[in-house]
């Protein structure tokens, strides 16, 4: 299974924070820069998402409700069930990080990419990931307050407002300005993609710098990390199976099931990191460690699944898709003639 080079950059950033953590004024500058970078990241999300696509996607409400239920109901229930693994497999702080992982919204970019590779319903994946991210701005902090309690020490009305201002407001601003800047964003998406990833690296460096300064790393041993990885592997396997076979039980066609599987089984590092920074403060590094590990695991496993789905026999493709392909072919032939 391939290792995403970006994960190597993430690990390198963690190593840099361990060797040269930001302190004092540098920590303040790093924190302010990461906040601004994440706000700009969500502004770009807003500028990229077509309002027409979002409105059209609303028509497929059963799929979106299914993805939201997987993300914010099934995942948290599995996280609560994992409480029984403390202290045999997980320490209490690692369990809190695992539970926070289950509360985070779904991804956008990787869900779209894997759905496209597997020949699934790409517009549905775009809308499902976007709706999940927007809903998570409010739902994730509320779930954290209800399920994590005092462990999410930074949660309050002020912290919720801070998350909304940092994530939702920039997204809405991007949507409002999309009419004028949408073309520019589309033409320079590769360059702006570096901003996406650079923002996450900056947040990782800030969070793990705070962790080093607070001296929390003595709480994690190699044995505990191995236990965490095993638990997360089971969690991912369960969600991949539930989203695929649950979609079949709900009578979704193949293309929709692919979108449900990739959008409903994954968690967003881009959304989770800034929320953890607000909710956990100095303990954010330990809180996001399970999310970082799960992020790499889901990319590796879903890359393999998407590649295998792309080779499914053509007869498994739904009649609706075949008919649409036929109409496209006829239309193309007519225009060519």
């Amino acid at each position: 299974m391939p290792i995403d080079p970006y994960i190597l950059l993430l690990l390198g950033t963690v190593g840099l924070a361990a060797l040269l953590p930001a302190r004092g004024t540098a920590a303040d500058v790093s924190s302010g820069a990461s906040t601004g970078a994440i706000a700009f990241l969500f502004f770009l999300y807003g500028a990229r998402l077509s309002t027409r696509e979002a409105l059209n996607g609303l028509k497929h409400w059963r799929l979106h409700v299914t993805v939201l239920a997987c993300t914010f109901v099934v995942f948290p229930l599995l996280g609560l069930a994992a409480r029984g693994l403390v202290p045999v497999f997980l320490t209490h702080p690692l369990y809190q990080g695992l539970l926070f992982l289950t509360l985070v919204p779904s991804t956008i970019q990787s869900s779209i990419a894997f759905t496209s590779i597997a020949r699934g319903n790409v517009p549905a994946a775009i809308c499902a990931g976007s709706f999940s991210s927007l809903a998570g701005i409010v739902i994730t902090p509320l779930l954290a307050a209800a399920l994590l309690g005092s462990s999410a020490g930074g949660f309050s009305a002020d912290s919720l407002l801070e998350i909304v201002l940092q994530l939702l407001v920039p997204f809405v601003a991007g949507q409002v300005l999309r009419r004028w800047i949408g073309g520019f964003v589309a033409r320079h998406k590769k360059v702006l993609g570096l901003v996406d990833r650079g923002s996450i690296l900056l947040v990782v460096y800030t969070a793990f710098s705070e962790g080093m300064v607070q001296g929390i790393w003595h709480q994690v041993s190699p044995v505990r990390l191995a236990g965490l990885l095993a638990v997360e592997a089971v969690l991912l396997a369960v969600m991949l199976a539930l989203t695929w076979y649950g979609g079949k039980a709900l009578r979704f066609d193949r293309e929709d099931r692919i979108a449900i599987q990739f959008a409903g089984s994954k968690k967003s590092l881009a959304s989770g990191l800034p929320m953890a920074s607000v909710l956990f403060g100095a303990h954010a590094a330990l809180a996001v460690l399970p999310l970082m590990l799960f992020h790499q695991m889901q990319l590796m496993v879903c890359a393999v699944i998407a590649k295998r789905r792309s080779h499914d026999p053509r007869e498994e493709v739904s009649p609706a898709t075949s008919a649409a392909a036929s109409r496209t072919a006829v239309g193309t032939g007519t225009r060519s003639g």
Side-chain angles (χ1 to χ4, degrees), residues 58-59 83 137 157 160 184 224 240 266 297 335:
L58 286 172
K59 299 175 183 178
R83 179 67 178 82
I137 293 173
L160 178 59
F184 176 85
R224 293 298 188 184
L240 286 169
K266 304 218 299 305
M297 189 181 296
R335 286 191 298 271

Side-chain angles (χ1 to χ4, degrees), residues 149-319:
S150 59
S151 300
F155 181 83
S156 63
D158 290 339
S159 65
L160 178 59
L161 177 62
E162 183 177 345
I163 290 172
V164 169
L165 290 175
Q166 187 177 355
L167 306 183
L168 181 58
V169 171
F171 181 90
V172 173
Q175 278 282 284
V176 172
L177 296 176
R178 187 180 185 279
R179 177 179 177 182
W180 296 279
I181 66 173
F184 176 85
V185 170
R187 290 192 301 272
H188 298 84
K189 61 181 181 180
K190 290 186 178 180
V191 175
L192 293 176
L194 298 177
V195 176
D196 288 6
R197 299 194 164 202
S199 300
I200 302 303
L201 293 177
L202 185 55
V203 175
V204 168
Y205 175 76
T206 301
F208 279 87
S209 288
E210 289 188 27
M212 288 301 300
V213 172
Q214 294 295 324
I216 63 171
W217 286 109
H218 65 278
Q219 302 178 33
V220 184
S221 67
V223 174
R224 293 298 188 184
L225 280 178
L228 176 62
L229 285 170
V231 171
E232 291 191 337
V234 173
L235 176 64
L236 179 60
V238 169
M239 288 306 302
L240 286 169
L242 283 176
T243 50
W244 182 251
Y245 293 106
K248 182 178 182 179
L250 293 173
R251 299 181 181 277
F252 286 103
D253 63 23
R254 175 190 176 277
E255 289 71 33
D256 288 347
R257 288 170 66 195
I258 288 173
I260 291 170
Q261 183 175 54
F262 289 128
S265 65
K266 304 218 299 305
K267 292 295 183 175
S268 172
L269 193 65
S271 297
L273 284 175
M275 291 182 186
S277 299
V278 174
L279 297 176
F280 292 93
H283 300 287
L286 197 56
V288 301
L289 181 61
L291 178 58
M292 288 185 60
L293 295 176
F294 190 82
H295 178 78
Q296 167 60 10
M297 189 181 296
Q298 71 187 13
L299 291 180
M300 294 169 66
V301 174
C302 289
V304 174
I305 292 175
K307 188 173 182 179
R308 293 189 64 179
R309 294 258 187 265
S310 70
H311 297 301
D312 284 349
R314 297 304 300 182
E315 54 266 30
E316 289 191 17
V317 178
S318 68

Side-chain angles (χ1 to χ4, degrees), residues 1-40:
M1 292 184 292
I3 296 179
D4 187 347
Y6 184 57
I7 298 300
L8 299 179
L9 288 176
L10 284 171
L11 295 176
T13 302
V14 173
L16 178 62
L19 295 174
L20 298 171
R23 302 173 184 269
T25 303
D28 294 336
V29 172
S30 175
S31 178
S34 65
T35 299
I38 289 296
F40 185 59

